[in-house]
Amino acid sequence: MTTLSPAPAPAAVTEELGAMGPLVARLGRAGRWLRGADLARPWVLDTALVAVVLLLFCLPDLRHGGVVDADGPRRFRLAFTRLPLAAMLAAQAGLVLPLLWRRRRPATAFAAVAAVFVLQWALGAALHADVALFIALYSLARHGRPRQLPWACAVMAAALALVAVRVSVVVSVTDALFFLASTATAALALGLVIRIRRAQLAALRDRAARLETERDQRSRLAAASERARVAREMHDIVGHHLSVVITLADAGARATAGATAAEWGRGAEALRLIGDTGRQALGELRRVLGVLRDTDAPPTGPELSPQPGLADLDALCRGVRAAGLDVVYRTAGKAEALDEGVQLTVYRIVQEAMTNTLKHAGAGTRVDLAIDVGEDRLAIQVRDTGRTIRVSQRHDGQGLSGMRERVALYGGRLSAGPAPGGGWAVAATLELGPREGAA
């Protein structure tokens, strides 16, 4: 009764692999060193191969006069012809020396070796150096052009058939062909396998290089996108709050220019609003610039403040009213269901529109702000009664460009220009997805 041996335990397999690890590592380092040396001086390896073939296969022929000596069995002496020393040296040179260019000209080397091989066996001589034909076939499969292999295989088959006929006195033709064809197939298969493996490794290296390049490109694009986002945020924050500060400062200067206690009180109020607006701008700048910090410590203070949304529009309107504008704000629809990103976009668009009104409209200007939230669309309209021409038609400013970029992120449209009946109007439409439009 046959008993099955138990499978090796995982611990034993791990231990065996661990014992083989240093050997595999040393072999890998040796292989890399050989490849580097071969790339630096390829002629060294070819010369070393020829020297090995001369030592292992040519010297025995010179000592014994061929595959069999004169004292061998009679049937061997009848099957093979003993070449003179000069002819043997010439045959060995013709078989071995073409291997020097087996990688640079593999087809030429194989043709030269095959020609000498056929001529030698046509004369009935057998040499140990005939192994050069199989080396040349391997080199052709490894380094040559694929379309050269069919004719090389045909030449190889004809040469091996000649050998099988010549040795039929010693061994049957079938056995001889089987042995010779197996050897040739092994040489051909080895060359193709190594060629395919090297091609796969080259493809993997190329893919790794392309993936690394794509990763670097994605990193650069992400960094550029983040810089653009931070630039838009800083422009909106600084532009709006500085406009409010400038307007309040002008109002405070006019109020304190010469006179009554009531006017001094209004100037003090303007200065207080300037301080509040400056502190608010500083807090928002800290929060925006906080995303650029590289630290493992959790942020504190203003950095933890959320991005502004629709709920912060009331405070924005109060600040603009304090600067001297009359703001009327209304909203319709389910604004609380909007995504945070949409709310931030709406806030920044309204903030930029109000900033332009502060810059270019006079005191006492009326501003109508309307936000309408639909099922799949959001509409923003900011209209004032100030002067009609406030922005150069040649260059509409960084603010309007930033608004267009924000609207484009949601597939919307933006229009800004003179309003019918006087004043200036900014209208934006955002396309909402299912999540933003649903309650």
Side-chain angles (χ1 to χ4, degrees):
M1 180 177 177
T2 303
T3 58
L4 298 176
S5 59
V13 175
T14 304
E15 183 179 357
E16 182 179 357
L17 291 177
M20 293 176 60
L23 176 60
V24 174
R26 285 193 294 269
L27 291 177
R29 287 193 296 268
R32 288 191 294 271
W33 180 82
L34 286 176
R35 284 194 296 271
D38 185 42
L39 290 175
R41 297 177 179 84
W43 57 269
V44 174
L45 182 60
D46 295 334
T47 305
L49 176 63
V50 171
V52 170
V53 173
L54 288 173
L55 292 175
L56 296 181
F57 300 101
C58 294
L59 289 183
D61 288 340
L62 295 176
R63 291 177 56 190
H64 302 291
V67 173
V68 294
D69 54 25
D71 299 329
R74 184 172 181 274
R75 57 174 181 168
F76 283 89
R77 286 186 278 112
L78 292 175
F80 301 107
T81 302
R82 183 182 179 88
L83 292 176
L85 180 60
M88 184 181 299
L89 290 174
Q92 288 179 344
L95 290 171
V96 176
L97 292 183
L99 297 179
L100 289 173
W101 62 84
R102 65 182 184 87
R103 291 191 291 180
R104 289 172 293 174
R105 297 289 188 270
T108 304
F110 177 80
V113 173
V116 176
F117 181 88
V118 171
L119 177 61
Q120 166 210 320
W121 278 96
L123 297 175
L127 299 174
H128 291 95
D130 291 336
V131 72
L133 182 64
F134 299 102
I135 298 176
L137 180 63
Y138 159 81
S139 301
L140 181 61
R142 170 69 181 88
H143 304 286
R145 298 178 182 176
R147 64 171 179 267
Q148 296 172 341
L149 290 178
W151 68 261
C153 291
V155 172
M156 192 75 176
L160 296 183
L162 175 61
V163 174
V165 172
R166 282 292 185 178
V167 300
S168 59
V169 178
V170 181
V171 65
S172 66
V173 175
T174 305
D175 294 340
L177 282 178
F178 176 77
F179 174 77
L180 295 173
S182 299
T183 307
T185 302
L188 181 65
L190 181 62
L192 291 177
V193 167
I194 296 179
R195 180 185 190 134
I196 294 172
R197 179 61 178 169
R198 292 291 178 85
Q200 290 176 342
L201 291 177
L204 289 176
R205 285 193 293 268
D206 180 68
R207 176 176 173 80
R210 286 189 287 107
L211 288 176
E212 185 176 357
T213 302
E214 292 174 2
R215 181 199 63 190
D216 295 340
Q217 291 176 348
R218 285 195 298 269
S219 299
R220 288 194 294 269
L221 289 175
S225 177
E226 183 65 15
R227 285 195 297 270
R229 187 190 69 81
V230 173
R232 287 196 302 267
E233 294 291 322
M234 292 186 65
H235 173 270
D236 293 340
I237 293 171
V238 174
H240 170 74
H241 289 93
L242 286 182
S243 297
V244 174
V245 167
I246 291 172
T247 303
L248 291 174
D250 292 341
R254 287 195 299 269
T256 57
T260 66
E263 292 175 343
W264 275 101
R266 288 195 297 272
E269 177 66 16
L271 293 176
R272 185 185 65 79
L273 292 174
I274 289 174
D276 293 341
T277 303
R279 282 188 290 272
Q280 182 182 359
L282 182 60
E284 293 193 23
L285 281 176
R286 286 175 178 173
R287 175 173 48 78
V288 171
L289 296 178
V291 301
L292 302 179
R293 298 178 182 175
D294 187 12
T295 176
D296 296 331
T300 58
E303 298 173 0
L304 293 176
S305 301
Q307 291 278 29
L310 294 184
D312 300 289
L313 287 178
D314 291 331
L316 178 66
C317 293
R318 285 196 300 269
V320 175
R321 291 190 187 103
L325 300 182
D326 181 17
V327 181
V328 178
Y329 170 41
R330 68 176 181 85
T331 181
K334 299 178 180 179
E336 67 278 1
L338 292 175
D339 182 82
E340 294 180 357
V342 178
Q343 294 193 35
L344 176 62
T345 299
V346 173
Y347 181 89
R348 292 306 185 196
I349 291 174
V350 173
Q351 184 184 50
E352 181 61 30
M354 295 289 188
T355 301
N356 289 335
T357 301
L358 286 172
K359 288 180 180 178
H360 304 288
T365 300
R366 175 186 172 91
V367 180
D368 292 317
L369 169 61
I371 298 176
D372 188 4
V373 182
E375 292 295 329
D376 57 355
R377 186 170 298 178
L378 184 147
I380 307 169
Q381 186 171 13
V382 183
R383 178 173 177 177
D384 63 58
T385 59
R387 294 188 298 271
T388 299
I389 301 299
R390 297 196 305 269
V391 181
S392 173
Q393 297 181 2
R394 290 187 179 182
H395 180 64
D396 57 5
Q398 182 67 25
L400 290 180
S401 299
M403 284 194 290
R404 289 194 180 95
E405 292 178 2
R406 293 182 183 274
V407 171
L409 292 177
Y410 291 92
R413 298 182 303 275
L414 176 74
S415 62
W424 193 265
V426 175
T429 303
L430 305 182
E431 299 293 337
L432 302 180
R435 181 166 63 89
E436 292 88 352

